Amino acid sequence: GDAIRYWELTADISQNPVSWMDYLGSRTFFIQWLNYIPSKVFGLGFMFGNILYAFVSFLGIREIYLVAVKYCPETSSKWIQIGWLGLFFLPNLHFWSAGVGKEALLVLGMGWAVKGMGDLPRHWIFLALGVLLSFWVRPIAGVVLGGVAWVYLLFQPGISLPAKSAVSILAVAVGILALNRVFVSMHLEEYSLEAVLQFISGQQEFLRGFGAGSEVNMEEYGWGQKLWAFFFRPFWHEVRDFWDLAAVVENTLAFVLLIGLVLGQVYAWFKKRRVPVPGVFYSGLAVMVLMGVVYALTLNNLGIMVRMKSTYMVFFYLIGGYGWVSFYHIRANSVK
């Protein structure tokens, strides 16, 4: 339903648009502005839109893959290599980004950001474009990605202190403006914790109005339960149909990879070794966790949670895979 309305430019007409530039804005307005030329001017059908957006998300996934493949764990077992690279083919990422929607553009934004962070300062323009695209599609996503990218840049040894200082001044100034834009989009009457809590309560009440079968009582959960629900539910006892089953299988694998992430790090520390995870993946993991906190506060529907986390989970999977491979190698070397 959302995809059709995005393509037909009817998802949000509160700006009373008449011409192409009347659609310009962030979030849904931005998607409709992008779709205006192919949909309204050229009259291309909805199927073309799905193919177009699938190609856009493919470009983003490709950029993440091209960085990740450089760090593919060296191992004598081809099955471990196939399994590690197979993490890019888990269905949730592709299901939500293969059609007209925000996820395809967010994946492209993450791909550009990963390309930029993977080769700073040479590809800084891609990092900037990735943050900017993410912001226009979903402002809070752009703010989080931009903040993580700024911290990542500060830890890069190949960038001079004056350059880091200049970027930091710019990042703080732009960040303040971006946060103000986020608060405006939340329609807060004042900038206070109470106002934010009221927004969160209102958002959950709005979603509750749909009467979805996968609604959960997030307001009654503690932080551990909130994050568990967002990252790992639905689980086996909550399967109702094929789509639930598909989500449950991937969530189960995510839990196994979580064990690998923890086990690999702990075992490496015990054996005084290190898990060779590239910093750009830790940045992706940081974005995933921070967005998870945002969504755990504002969502109460497992179906929407599965969709919202689809853009970021690949980084968690990759680091979890590194954990298992490192555990395997350290253990094998210890036996020898």
Side-chain angles (χ1 to χ4, degrees):
D2 286 346
I4 293 173
R5 288 188 289 271
Y6 287 146
W7 191 252
E8 295 177 348
L9 314 184
T10 59
D12 191 338
I13 56 174
S14 60
Q15 296 184 159
N16 298 314
V18 177
S19 65
W20 178 33
M21 295 308 295
D22 291 338
Y23 285 93
L24 186 61
S26 62
R27 301 185 296 170
T28 299
F29 300 124
F30 180 68
I31 299 237
Q32 293 179 149
W33 178 77
L34 288 177
N35 293 343
Y36 185 90
I37 298 296
S39 177
K40 290 296 184 183
V41 177
F42 294 125
L44 298 171
F46 178 60
M47 183 57 67
F48 174 84
N50 282 301
I51 295 172
L52 175 64
Y53 273 74
F55 178 70
V56 167
S57 66
F58 165 75
L59 293 178
I61 296 170
R62 178 178 180 271
E63 293 296 352
I64 298 172
Y65 170 81
L66 289 176
V67 172
V69 75
K70 299 176 184 178
Y71 304 98
C72 183
E74 296 181 4
T75 174
S76 57
S77 172
K78 69 175 183 179
W79 296 112
I80 290 180
Q81 291 186 4
I82 291 173
W84 189 81
L85 295 176
L87 297 175
F88 282 94
F89 294 91
L90 292 173
N92 197 36
L93 170 65
H94 299 274
F95 179 83
W96 291 109
S97 65
V100 180
K102 297 176 182 177
E103 282 70 30
L105 298 172
L106 289 172
V107 169
L108 179 60
M110 285 299 302
W112 281 344
V114 167
K115 180 174 183 176
M117 287 188 285
D119 191 6
L120 283 175
R122 190 160 69 99
H123 284 158
W124 68 269
I125 187 64
F126 286 98
L127 175 56
L129 288 174
V131 172
L132 186 61
L133 176 61
S134 298
F135 179 80
W136 280 109
V137 175
R138 188 168 287 152
I140 188 62
V143 170
V144 169
L145 178 57
V148 170
W150 172 42
V151 174
Y152 177 83
L153 181 143
L154 293 178
F155 284 92
Q156 296 307 297
I159 301 177
S160 67
L161 182 59
K164 290 180 180 179
S165 300
V167 171
S168 295
I169 294 172
L170 179 62
V172 170
V174 172
I176 292 173
L177 294 175
L179 277 174
N180 181 67
R181 184 67 176 268
V182 171
F183 288 138
V184 169
S185 69
M186 293 165 64
H187 303 289
L188 298 183
E189 295 182 0
E190 58 177 307
Y191 297 162
S192 67
L193 178 59
E194 182 180 356
V196 172
L197 293 176
Q198 288 178 350
F199 168 80
I200 292 172
S201 178
Q203 181 72 12
Q204 294 192 347
E205 187 64 30
F206 170 75
L207 294 174
R208 192 172 295 114
F210 288 97
S214 61
E215 181 184 326
V216 290
N217 296 321
M218 294 291 279
E219 291 176 299
E220 300 177 4
Y221 290 173
W223 270 108
Q225 288 176 295
K226 287 179 187 289
L227 294 176
W228 170 265
F230 180 77
F231 289 116
F232 300 110
R233 287 179 64 184
F235 222 60
W236 288 98
H237 67 283
E238 298 170 302
V239 173
R240 299 168 304 168
D241 52 33
F242 172 78
W243 302 112
D244 282 346
L245 179 62
V248 163
V249 170
E250 185 164 334
N251 287 342
T252 302
L253 178 60
F255 182 69
V256 171
L257 291 169
L258 173 65
I259 296 173
L261 189 156
V262 175
L263 187 62
Q265 294 286 353
V266 171
Y267 198 68
W269 176 82
F270 181 74
K271 293 291 184 178
K272 298 182 179 179
R273 302 279 290 277
R274 64 182 295 271
V275 179
V277 179
V280 65
F281 289 170
Y282 280 125
S283 296
L285 183 66
V287 172
M288 185 203 78
V289 171
L290 291 172
M291 291 303 298
V293 170
V294 171
Y295 291 136
L297 286 171
T298 55
L299 302 179
N300 58 6
N301 183 305
L302 293 179
I304 299 178
M305 293 178 194
V306 169
R307 177 177 182 172
M308 292 302 177
K309 71 182 181 181
S310 63
T311 306
Y312 311 102
M313 290 297 287
V314 65
F315 301 103
F316 175 78
Y317 297 154
L318 289 170
I319 295 179
Y322 266 110
W324 275 116
V325 170
S326 297
F327 174 74
Y328 169 80
H329 276 302
I330 296 171
R331 188 172 181 274
N333 292 334
S334 298
V335 171
K336 291 179 182 180

